Amino acid sequence: MPAWRIALLLLAGVAYAGASHWMMLYHPAAPWAVVVLLAPLWLTAMGLAGQYLGRAAVAVTAVAGLAGLALVFSGHAGDPNPLYVLQHVGINAVLALWFGGTLRPGQLSLIGQFAQRIHALTPDMRRYTARVTAVWTAYFCAVCVLSLAVYGLRPFEDWSLFSNVVTPIGVGALFVGEYLIRYRLHPEFERVRLIDAVRAFYAPAKQ
């Protein structure tokens, strides 16, 4: 993937996070805002259904989403705030399961799979990438717990700030921080640019 396309994706992510925070503060129950804010949950559910359950499950998920849209536009959806929290917790829980599910003995960790696309992994590097995968898993689990805690203990405005601003900043800080300390801990990793590390996420796995 070219650098300009990655930059556009990052800018789009920042713009969506900012727009989401604004919509949750000022238009949380507006039908158009509910649709925009909950679309990621719907698309994620359809993707998971297609991957693990087949086309019939995709159709059921799609119909359920359309039924939800009908409730939103008819004014019968109720308070949307719990749905926003469900989306945030659900997506981070799925990420935790995705990362953590590759930490089984004898399996190459998810970060190891990404690293293998640009490095020839040694046993030490495999162990290091497994530890990094565990750190990411712990991060996503912590986000789930904190999301519920902030929602239960603080005003909704604080939860929106946490979910739309703090969470993605944490992802960026963890990604960049690991990149900066990697070569101090493991100089055997070949030097690559940060943009190449991002590209590794989108690159096809080596056969």
Side-chain angles (χ1 to χ4, degrees), residues 95-111:
L95 289 170
L97 290 172
W98 183 30
F99 279 70
T102 64
L103 292 173
R104 292 187 291 269
Q107 181 175 346
L108 183 60
S109 66
L110 185 61
I111 299 298

Side-chain angles (χ1 to χ4, degrees), residues 44-105:
T44 300
M46 284 196 293
L48 291 173
Q51 182 175 357
Y52 295 106
L53 300 175
R55 293 181 179 178
V58 174
V60 171
T61 306
V63 170
L66 292 174
L69 290 178
L71 288 174
V72 168
F73 283 102
S74 67
H76 294 89
D79 182 8
N81 289 354
L83 294 178
Y84 299 147
V85 179
L86 171 64
Q87 173 173 256
H88 186 246
V89 172
I91 289 176
N92 280 279
V94 168
L95 289 170
L97 290 172
W98 183 30
F99 279 70
T102 64
L103 292 173
R104 292 187 291 269

Side-chain angles (χ1 to χ4, degrees), residues 126-141:
R126 289 173 67 99
R127 285 190 287 271
Y128 170 77
T129 54
R131 289 195 292 269
V132 175
T133 302
V135 170
W136 277 104
T137 303
Y139 172 79
F140 292 124
C141 289

Side-chain angles (χ1 to χ4, degrees), residues 2-203:
W4 66 266
R5 192 172 295 177
I6 292 175
L8 282 179
L9 286 173
L10 292 175
L11 288 174
V14 171
Y16 181 79
S20 296
H21 184 52
W22 176 78
M23 284 185 283
M24 287 183 182
L25 289 184
Y26 300 106
H27 304 282
W32 58 270
V34 174
V35 172
V36 172
L37 291 168
L38 294 181
L41 179 62
W42 186 22
L43 295 175
T44 300
M46 284 196 293
L48 291 173
Q51 182 175 357
Y52 295 106
L53 300 175
R55 293 181 179 178
V58 174
V60 171
T61 306
V63 170
L66 292 174
L69 290 178
L71 288 174
V72 168
F73 283 102
S74 67
H76 294 89
D79 182 8
N81 289 354
L83 294 178
Y84 299 147
V85 179
L86 171 64
Q87 173 173 256
H88 186 246
V89 172
I91 289 176
N92 280 279
V94 168
L95 289 170
L97 290 172
W98 183 30
F99 279 70
T102 64
L103 292 173
R104 292 187 291 269
Q107 181 175 346
L108 183 60
S109 66
L110 185 61
I111 299 298
Q113 295 172 33
F114 295 150
Q116 189 172 238
R117 298 170 187 178
I118 52 178
H119 299 287
L121 296 184
T122 66
D124 284 344
M125 294 162 73
R126 289 173 67 99
R127 285 190 287 271
Y128 170 77
T129 54
R131 289 195 292 269
V132 175
T133 302
V135 170
W136 277 104
T137 303
Y139 172 79
F140 292 124
C141 289
V143 167
C144 291
V145 173
L146 288 173
S147 183
L148 293 172
V150 173
Y151 179 69
L153 300 174
R154 302 293 302 168
F156 184 74
E157 293 79 4
D158 291 349
W159 179 87
S160 177
L161 182 66
F162 173 78
S163 65
N164 294 306
V165 179
V166 175
T167 300
I169 287 177
V171 169
L174 185 55
F175 182 83
V176 175
E178 187 279 324
Y179 173 83
L180 293 176
I181 68 172
R182 179 189 313 156
Y183 301 110
R184 291 181 178 272
L185 298 176
H186 286 273
E188 68 271 20
F189 274 96
E190 305 98 304
R191 293 275 176 171
V192 297
R193 299 171 300 170
L194 184 59
I195 189 69
D196 294 324
V198 176
R199 284 182 174 133
F201 181 83
Y202 298 97

